[in-house]
Structure formats: structure tokens, C-alpha cells
Amino acid sequence: MATTTYDYFWQLASLDAEERLNAANGLITHLHKLYQEFITSNKNISKINDSRDFLGSTEVIEKVCGPTVAYVMIRLTRGLASPRAAARHGFALALTELLASFEFFTFKMILPLIDEACPISSSKDKEGSDVIFGRVFGFASVVRSGILWRKTSSDDDYCEVINGLLACANSKPYVRETCYHVIISTIPLLKETTFEEKAISHLITVMNERNVRNGINNPDDINLAVAIEAQYPDILQNNQWIRVVVHNGDSCIAKWCKPHILHPENLEKLTEAIQAKSSQSAAEIQQNQENRIHSVWNTIIFWLISPPSDKLRKQTVAFEEFWKTAVDECLFDDDATYQRKFWGFQLLEKALQICPEDKFSFLFTSNLMRTLINHSYEKNRYLHESAMHLLKVIEQVAEENQRKALIIVKKFLGQNCDRDFDKVSKTYTIRNIFHVINNSTIEEYVLYLKNVFLKPDENLSSDNEATIQRRQWIIDHLYSLLKNPHINRHEGWLNLVLDLFLIYGFYTAKDSFLNEISKDKKIEISKSESRNKKSKRDPKKVKFENQQADDSSRTNNSEKMISKYILPKPNIDEDTQERCRLRFFHALGELSTFRSLLSDDKTEKPMRTRSGFMKSGQTWSYYAVALMNRFDYDTQLEPLIILSDEAQQLKSTVIKLLQTIIDKLNSEDSKGHNLDILQGFHLLFSYSVLTLYTEPEEAMNALQDIQICFNKMFVQSKKSLKKKRNKEENLEEKHNPVDVIVDILLGFLAKPSAFLYNMSEQVFKVFCDGITKSSLDLMLDLISKQENDEEELVDEIDIDDEINQDEDEESTDGESDDGSNDSDLDNDITVNENKEAKDQSLIELNNHNNEGEDYSEEDINNQDEMMEKIDSKLSEIFKIQKFGKKKKKDTKYQRIHYKHKVIGLLKIFVKEQQNNPLIFELIMPLLKIAKNAKTDEIAKSVYNLLNTRIVVIKDGLTEFDDSKILALLEQVQDMARKAHFGDMMTLCWKSCAFLLKAIVRRHNNEEISDASREISNQHIKNAIVIYESTYKSWCTKSSSLNIKCFSQLPATIPQIPWHFSEIFLGCTDPKTAKNPKKVMNAYDVSFTICNVALPKKKRESKGANSTIPKLVPKIRENLNNTLQFIAEDLKCGNQNFDSQALKSILKFAGLAIKRTSTENSKSEKLWNSKKLLPLLEKIKEFPRFKSSQVISNLVNEITRNFQ
């Protein structure tokens, strides 16, 4: 026997499934080779007979295929009972393959080996369990190998296998389900045998014997019975089967109504038998069902989804009925145990994968959804993790199948289509599903919501309040979809949402048309008649349908379609119409920033339109204007908002002008700048027309001014200019059209509307190229404007939410006063008023008491009435006071929010016009506002504008007046010196660097880039003089500036040779310095400049060698003067130099001497070392410096440079 055989047995017990499979294949291949060798050497094999004992079977196998195969057979059967790792799985796999590959094996040969290796005993210990497991695996190998279906097998063999498996099932409950699975797997294979009828008869007999008293009353017997019926539908007519199932005996506990297990009349009994609910008659089997649901559910679900036979289809209970009864009303019942609810979650997870689309909607029943929400809402719920896992599975199913995703989203809305599942469950399930579904699915979902909006369910149609709530929830939900940037937003369904808001927010059906419908009973028109009637109508009018139109035929080319007005039933109330109008403007605000896809082809790189434009080239606002204009001329519709004659005339004029602009945009003449200006006017006119419905008077004034601006910029005919009104002539003489447009936009920003805010930003972006200084001054004035009474800034909160909350408090606590969230001043006023009111009431009461000491019952009643009146008056006073405080608070927030919007316009200007010299005009006013950035919210926003948008501009700003920039530079540096906090000083210094860079950029030439030459440009020299003046002031006076401001100059503006300025070694004379610290700072600044001017590797700088002769004399003179002053131990500003100051001086000296050493000159002569070194040695011996190792090392390093 080959030695490698033992290695296979070890690998068969591996926990790795792939390794077990390879070991089994290798073992079978190895045995086949040995078998072929055995056959070759033993050609004459006598006829063998089956043996019923172990020794006889072993001898027979050894004679037929050799000792190695016999040994392996014994090892494999004994290994079935081994608890080591995955030995049972691996040995059963190898045994199955071995029995299947050798044709001479029979069941009678194998059974003695299994009986000897795994004998049944009554032992309850671990060894007894291993034996039972091994026996089950052994019978499973026999069945799967196929030896039972060979010609050598008989019905007795099959019956013996069945009886053996049932014996195992009876001995250990936890293997019962597995044993029945093996039995069920044999049923489809019986048709290939000659003993089919006897085998089925034996199964029926066994079932009858096992269930004489209880009947079929457990999941395993149900599983077996359903499997038999699936393979043999005609068995329902068999008398023996009927006796087994129906069980007419009086002693039987479980009686079925029909012989077909899944018959509708058996549904209640079925739910008890499969343990969907507890029952006294049902046998509760305590096995491994604590952690998983029984497999009988899979069998039943598969049957109901796809019945195996047409004969049984009509007799089988419907899937939805079974699911509702067995799952929803049992597993997810209020009184169901956690175990059954857990089974329900497992069953739903399986059903989600296998259930077809036509039955998918039946899965999400009311009790199931309630249980899912309850257990996903809080982490401490018992089944929370299971519920969250199920929600993840639901998301995966939705991602894989778009149709199922649509059903999930619909069902999660709830029965009333008004449930926000993510909110009530505290999850992101629906949000994540919307992220993965495509445009067509979302469009179908929007159409579904539209249908619900127009015709709510009958059970809510009578309840007017419920209908209103449902419709308003749908409006808000559609808007939330439209503004969600993470979902696939496409023009197709976006048009549907916008049309819904527009049609049912601004229009309604005329009463005359509704009367005609009721008389003619047009609501009952059939679909075919309705379609014929639609084809006869005027296509120029809006299609007005009394039935639900087939919106599924709507294509993405919505501009070619005619909008359909469908009669809502019941009629839409005023509050819902108002909400439609509100969401219409909100939606336009969102769409003004939306960029549509130009192509739906996923293979191409996605190309998008400009913000606010559709694929057709028109804006969303113009689309709405054109649609409303078409509705205005429809005879069947009546507008809800009626414009005045003047406004209507102005609207018609503007619409004609818009068409003219569109014609110009489509012409070839409009190019470049004119094209952008035309698009800006197109946006401005479109949005302004829509504001006629919200602010008619302001919109009319704005439209008139915009017309004047448009005529001035594009109408070139002199004759037309003479015919203009006086207002236009005055405007042309005094105002720039862009300034007028900016003024209009600032007026729009004052409105609390995202629609107007987005429009203003878009239009401002177009016209910011022509902005003048007056417009910027106006915006700056709005930002810096202060109220007379300074108030504490409020947090950024939602005004609407606050108002609603206050209203709720007023309605519930009308007689109480809660001023805890208001200012102290308001509290004092409220308290004083309360006190005065109470005092007055007490005075009146005392006066009443003084009238007489004897109180009658009538007097007591009068006092009660008087107190009630006083309380009511106090309540009114408190309400008025509370409303005033709330209004004051809201006004303060609106003012702050308006300033933020204006700052947003300035950000757009800076981003789009980086080469515009007007940016310099912003610096000083913005810096003045930013001074209060620590306490003021607006100032902080201005600070960020300067710090992140303006001073970081790199390229640009080359055309400006140098004298103005120099004056501005001086002002900013003066502000930097007086800054109250460090961040403000840093911002001012960055602004100075920005101004200096602009001057250097404008006069950039070879002279500036040559570090060996001084600056010759007078403007740059004047700028450096300003820096030098600031540096001297910093050295001599107290200032907010720090050393980093000057030490970082070489790195910030490397184009300027700072080593030739007076900043380098300036203020280093200890005789004139304020104190030693100032001298130390001066040398630290010079150290940084010298490090850049004299690089470490001289090849890094072209003019390094020519710079040295100019710098060394200056450095030498200043060092000698400073060191001589220290060596004489003189006081600088009543202070002696300490080790810290001396260290900075010596570091600078060491750097300068080291970097100036060249091959052509001697350091001793260049630096006059005979004078310098004695000074250093003398200073080093001072008592206060002698103990400093750092100073000693620096002096030694300088000395080594001269050696």
C-alpha cells in the first residue's frame, strides 16, 4: 500500500472545503490506480455473494478490489463518527465518491461497515451523539452515491435505508430534520427504479404508523408530505394517502380537512403544524430551531411561488393568503415570541431573494413592517441586529433588481402613503435605495405618488383631514427627492414634479366645466372612448382629463408633450394649493443650480449643461413661464392668482422680449460676451416674471428697470431711444445698467427665498464683469451697516421651525410666560410688566376689600369674576409681549442671513474677476469689518472671505494705479500694528504681502530676479520703504506684530533682495535699541534673510559671489559694534544682555562667516578676526555666560572657521 494514502485521510478532516475536495479527488484517483494494478494481477475473480456481517463484507470487498480499497472503506466508515475538525464532511464526501466510482459496490456490502462503525445505542453522552451523526452521514453517502438506484438494489434496500434514517431521527431530535432531508432527496429518483410503487407505499405506511394518534402534526412530516405530493400529484386520490392525511379516526388529534396539505381549507392547521404559532395539538419539537427557521418553510414558499403541477395549482392556497395568515398574523403577531419573530426575519430574507416580482409586494405586510420598525429603531431592542441585517439585505435586493426596488419604496411608504420610514426607524434604508435606482424607476415612483395625490384611497376620501395630510406629505416628499443631489436626477421625472407643483398650485378647473362633467357623466367614459376623445381636442390647449391618464407613455422629451390636468378627487384644499406654490418656487431654486445630462449614453463621458439649463437649451424658469402662459389661455382652467391688468400686460411684454432673446441666443451673431449677457437677461426676466405671483408690485418695478437696462445695452437704434419714457432717460443719464441690475438683485436677496437667492447668484455671476465701484460700495455698506442698538448675535436656526414651535407653545401654554430663551433686557421688561399688572390687580382687590369687612356670597362670586378678567388680560399681555420678542428675534436673524447672502455675491465677484483692480477696493473696507471677527458672525465671514479668497490670488491684477496701492499698503500695515488679536494681525500682514506681490508682478523684470543687484524700480522701492518704516516702528515701539512677520518675508516674497533693505541688520545697534530683546529679534530676522541671500551651496544662487563683498562690510561693522558693547558689559535700556540674546547674535555671526568663506579670499582678513576673536573670548569668560555650553560651542565654531 502506498504511503501517501495516510496523508489523504489527514487532509480530509481539514476545515478548508477546497482542501477537503482536493484530498477526496486525490484519494479516488489513487485508489483507481491501485485497483487497476489489482485487476491486472488477479484476472480470475470468482463470483461473490453479499454478506450481512462485517467480516464477510470486508472479505468480499478485499477479494473484489484489493486490500487497499477494503482498508480505505473501513477507514472512511469509521471516520464518519469522528468529531475532529471537519472529518465527518470530508470522509462522507470521499465515501460518496468512492461508492459512485466503483460499480461493484452494493448496499448490502456497505451496511455492515456502517453498522460496525456507527451502531445505534441508547447512550446520551457525546460519543453516542457522534455515532448518530456518523450513521446519518453514512446513509446520506449511500443515497447520494446512487447505489440504491442500480439494478443490484431492491425495494428492501431502500426500505432499510428509510428505516435506518427514521431510527436516527427518533433517537436524537437535533438530527431529525437532516434525516428527513435525506429521505426527501430520494423521492425524485424513485421514478428511475423498478420498485417505485413499493417505495412510495412504504413511505406512506411509515407516515401512517408514526402518526397514528397525532396525525401529520410536525414540520418534518409536512416537509415529507409536500415533497411526495409535488412528485406524485395523483396521490391525492389514493385511499391510503387520504387516510394518512385526513385521519378520520376519533382518537387522532390533528385532522386535516383536505388530503392536499396546501389546500386553502387546511391553512389554519398548516400554521400550527409548521409551528408558525403555538398550539396544544401541535408537537413542539425542541431541536436546532432556536437559531434558524425550519426548512419546511422553504419547501412551501417554493411550491406557492411556482407550483410543480397544474393539477394542484387550483387546489393550492394563494401565496398572499398563506403569507398573510402564516407569516404576518402568526410570526409577526403582537403576542408572538422573539424566536418566532426572528424566524420571520429569516423567512423574509429568503423570500426577498426568490420571490418573483408579481408576488413581491405581498411580502411587506402591516405586522411585519411594524415589527421591523420597532426593532430597528433602538439598539437595545432584542432583535435589533437581526432587523438591521434584514434592512441591508433589502438594500442589496433593491440594487440588483430595479422593479423590486420600486415595490420596496412604495411599500415602505405605509398604507396611507405618508410614512417616512428612515425617520421612524432611524436608518438610511430608503435613502440608500434611492441612491442606486435608475431614472426610469424614479419616474415610475413619481407617477405613483402623483396618482395617489390626485385620487387618494377610498378609505381616506371621506376623511378630509387625512386626505389633506397625505397630499401635503406627498408634496414635501417629492420636493425632498428633487433636491437630493445623491440620487439620479433626470429631466424626465423632474418635469413631472415641477408640473405637479405648478398645475395644482396655480390653477384649478372652472365650475362650468365641472358641471358639464357631472351632467354628461364623463368620469365613466371607457378608456377607448377617452383616447378617441383626446385625439379630437385642440393640441394647442392643455389636455384636461377626467380620468387617470396613462403617464407611463410619457417620454423624457417633456418639452414636446402637452401637460395633462387631471381632476383630483376630492378637490384640493387651499392649504395644499398654497404648499404646492411654495414648493414650486423651492423646486425652481434647486433646479437653478442643477446641471442636466446632455447624453444618456453611459459609455460616453458625461456631459452636462450649465446650471439652471435644460437639455433643450432653455432654462427651467423659462420652461415654467412658458407653461404658465399656455395655461393662462386655456378655457377649461382658472388661475388661482389673478394678476392686475397692468401686471398682465407687463408679463405679456416680457414674454415677447424673452422670445426675442431666445432668437438672438440661437442666432450666429451672438458670441462671446454678448452671449453671456443675453443669457443673464434671459434668467433675470424669467425669474422676475414668476415673482409677479408672490411680490407683484416689487416685481413690476424690477421688470420695468430690467427692460430699461436691456434696451440700453442691446437696442442701438436712436429712434427707439427717443421714444423712451422720462424714467428711462433719467436712468440712462445717471446710472450704469449693471449697477441697476445689482441693486435689483440685492432687493431679491432680501426676500427669504432660495429661489430668488440662487437666481441672484447666477445672474450676478454673468454681470459681475461690468460691476463698478459704486456697486461694490453699496454691497460693502450693506455688510458694515450697524443697527442703533447693538444686539447679541443669534445662532443660525430655522425660522420656520422656531415659529411653529412658538405657536405650539402659545396654543398649549397660553396663560404662561416663558422668556428663558430671550435676552436679559426682554426678561426684565416682561418681569416688570408682570409685576405692575399683579400690583394693579392687588390694588383693585384691596380697594374692594376696604369697602366692607363683611363678605357675602355675592361678593365672593364677584371677586372670582374679577380675577378671571385679570387673568385673561394678563394672558393677552403676555402673548403680545412674547410675539414681539419672537418677531424681534426673527428680524435679527433675517438681517444676519441677508448679510451672508451679500458676502456670497462678493465671493462670486472675487472668484470670477481675479484680474479686476476693483478687488483692491475691497481690502480696506473688509479689513475694517473683520476687526470684530472674534465676536461678530458677519465679521468672521468677512475674515474668511479675505483669508481664503482674496489674499490667496496668485496670478492676476497687473493693471492698477501704483500710488493707490502704495497708499493702501501703508494703511493696511498701520492696521496690522494696531490689531487687537493675532489672527487679525496675520490677515493684515497677508494682505500686505498680497499688495506687494501685485506691485512686483506688474514690474517683474530681470533686475528684480537678480539677487546681487539692488531694486531700481521706484514703485517697488517705495513699497520696501513702507516695510522698513513698519520694521523700525516694531523695533522701537509696542506693536501687535511679531517676529514672524519679518522673518518670513524672504520666503513669502523671494523676488525682492531683502538683504539690501534696511530691515537686514536694522535696529541691531545696542546703543539705540530699547532693550536686548529687540536686538535679539533684529538678529533673528537678519539670520533668516542671510540664510536666503547666502545659500548653503553657492551654485544655488547666481549672484552669491557678487553679493558677498557688498554684505560682509555691513555685517562685520554691526557685529563688531554689538560685540564691543557686550564685551564692555554695558546696559541696553537698563538691561544687560543675557545668554538667550547672545546666542542669537552668535548664531547669526557663525552663519554669515561660514557662508561668506570663498577660495579666493581669506576669512581672517575679510572679517578682521584679530579684533573679532578676542571679543568673543572675553565675552565667553563672563560669569553669566561661562556656564553656558551652547555659547561656548558657538564661539568655538566661529573660531574654527578662521583656522
Side-chain angles (χ1 to χ4, degrees), residues 391-414:
L391 291 176
K392 292 294 183 182
V393 174
I394 291 175
E395 293 177 16
Q396 296 173 3
V397 172
E399 185 176 2
E400 296 170 358
N401 191 312
Q402 294 292 316
R403 301 302 305 171
K404 290 185 178 181
L406 178 61
I407 296 173
I408 291 171
V409 173
K410 288 181 181 179
K411 288 298 180 180
F412 276 38
L413 288 177

Side-chain angles (χ1 to χ4, degrees), residues 358-522:
D358 58 337
K359 294 180 174 60
F360 195 76
S361 60
F362 302 125
L363 298 178
F364 304 98
T365 51
S366 58
N367 289 339
L368 185 150
M369 295 302 299
R370 186 198 69 250
T371 306
L372 185 60
I373 292 173
N374 291 340
H375 287 275
S376 60
Y377 182 76
E378 295 179 352
K379 292 184 178 180
N380 59 352
R381 297 305 295 264
Y382 190 77
L383 299 177
H384 176 74
E385 292 185 3
S386 179
M388 297 303 296
H389 172 73
L390 181 58
L391 291 176
K392 292 294 183 182
V393 174
I394 291 175
E395 293 177 16
Q396 296 173 3
V397 172
E399 185 176 2
E400 296 170 358
N401 191 312
Q402 294 292 316
R403 301 302 305 171
K404 290 185 178 181
L406 178 61
I407 296 173
I408 291 171
V409 173
K410 288 181 181 179
K411 288 298 180 180
F412 276 38
L413 288 177
Q415 294 180 351
N416 298 327
C417 293
D418 59 356
R419 179 175 62 199
D420 189 346
F421 182 84
D422 288 352
K423 184 177 181 180
V424 298
S425 65
K426 289 187 178 181
T427 61
Y428 300 102
T429 304
I430 300 300
R431 188 195 69 174
N432 296 337
I433 291 175
F434 273 116
H435 290 177
V436 298
I437 58 180
N438 54 31
N439 295 314
S440 60
T441 305
I442 299 179
E443 185 169 350
E444 290 186 34
Y445 177 65
V446 171
L447 290 173
Y448 167 76
L449 291 178
K450 178 181 177 182
N451 296 338
V452 176
F453 176 84
L454 296 175
K455 295 185 178 181
D457 294 340
E458 295 181 358
N459 59 342
L460 287 179
S461 60
S462 59
D463 188 354
N464 188 43
E465 188 66 26
T467 301
I468 293 174
Q469 292 180 1
R470 171 185 286 196
R471 283 175 168 169
Q472 292 184 358
W473 185 90
I474 290 176
I475 292 171
D476 295 338
H477 181 57
L478 287 174
Y479 172 68
S480 67
L481 292 179
L482 181 142
K483 72 175 185 178
N484 189 349
H486 300 291
I487 67 177
N488 294 319
R489 294 191 289 181
H490 193 269
E491 283 189 13
W493 66 269
L494 291 177
N495 277 328
L496 289 174
V497 176
L498 192 64
D499 291 354
L500 177 67
F501 293 159
L502 188 150
I503 295 175
Y504 299 101
F506 291 90
Y507 298 93
T508 185
K510 289 187 176 180
D511 294 336
S512 58
F513 184 79
L514 292 175
N515 294 333
E516 292 176 2
I517 292 177
S518 60
K519 292 178 182 180
D520 300 338
K521 297 182 180 179
K522 294 184 179 181

Side-chain angles (χ1 to χ4, degrees), residues 1182-1196:
F1182 279 12
R1184 63 177 180 271
F1185 300 138
K1186 191 172 184 180
S1187 61
S1188 176
Q1189 186 64 34
V1190 177
I1191 293 177
S1192 177
N1193 293 337
L1194 290 173
V1195 172
N1196 295 335

Side-chain angles (χ1 to χ4, degrees), residues 847-866:
N847 292 335
H848 183 77
N849 291 339
N850 294 330
E851 292 178 357
E853 296 181 356
D854 297 332
Y855 298 100
S856 63
E857 185 177 353
E858 183 179 357
D859 293 335
I860 295 174
N861 294 333
N862 291 335
Q863 289 181 7
D864 293 339
E865 292 178 0
M866 183 180 66

Side-chain angles (χ1 to χ4, degrees), residues 972-1023:
V972 176
Q973 291 208 357
D974 183 64
M975 182 176 286
R977 290 196 297 266
K978 300 176 182 179
H980 296 295
F981 56 97
D983 290 340
M984 185 63 198
M985 182 275 297
T986 304
L987 178 62
C988 292
W989 201 252
K990 288 181 180 179
S991 302
C992 296
F994 169 71
L995 296 172
L996 183 56
K997 287 179 182 179
I999 298 174
V1000 172
R1001 189 187 305 111
R1002 183 180 181 187
H1003 304 284
N1004 190 14
N1005 51 43
E1006 295 181 356
E1007 293 183 359
I1008 297 178
S1009 59
D1010 189 357
S1012 64
R1013 302 176 61 181
E1014 297 185 14
I1015 298 296
S1016 60
N1017 185 275
Q1018 189 61 36
H1019 298 293
I1020 300 179
K1021 291 175 69 175
N1022 292 338

Side-chain angles (χ1 to χ4, degrees), residues 232-247:
Y232 302 96
D234 296 334
I235 202 171
L236 300 179
Q237 311 299 328
N238 188 288
N239 294 329
Q240 186 181 6
W241 178 262
I242 294 174
R243 286 195 301 271
V244 172
V245 178
V246 178
H247 236 297

Side-chain angles (χ1 to χ4, degrees), residues 200-253:
I200 295 297
S201 178
H202 179 72
L203 289 176
I204 297 175
T205 302
V206 169
M207 292 179 64
N208 188 27
E209 293 175 352
R210 292 172 56 83
N211 302 286
V212 173
R213 185 176 183 278
N214 295 328
I216 299 178
N217 199 33
N218 60 73
D220 297 303
D221 288 334
I222 294 293
N223 203 3
L224 179 58
V226 171
I228 294 174
E229 289 182 1
Q231 293 297 324
Y232 302 96
D234 296 334
I235 202 171
L236 300 179
Q237 311 299 328
N238 188 288
N239 294 329
Q240 186 181 6
W241 178 262
I242 294 174
R243 286 195 301 271
V244 172
V245 178
V246 178
H247 236 297
N248 294 325
D250 295 335
S251 60
C252 181
I253 298 175

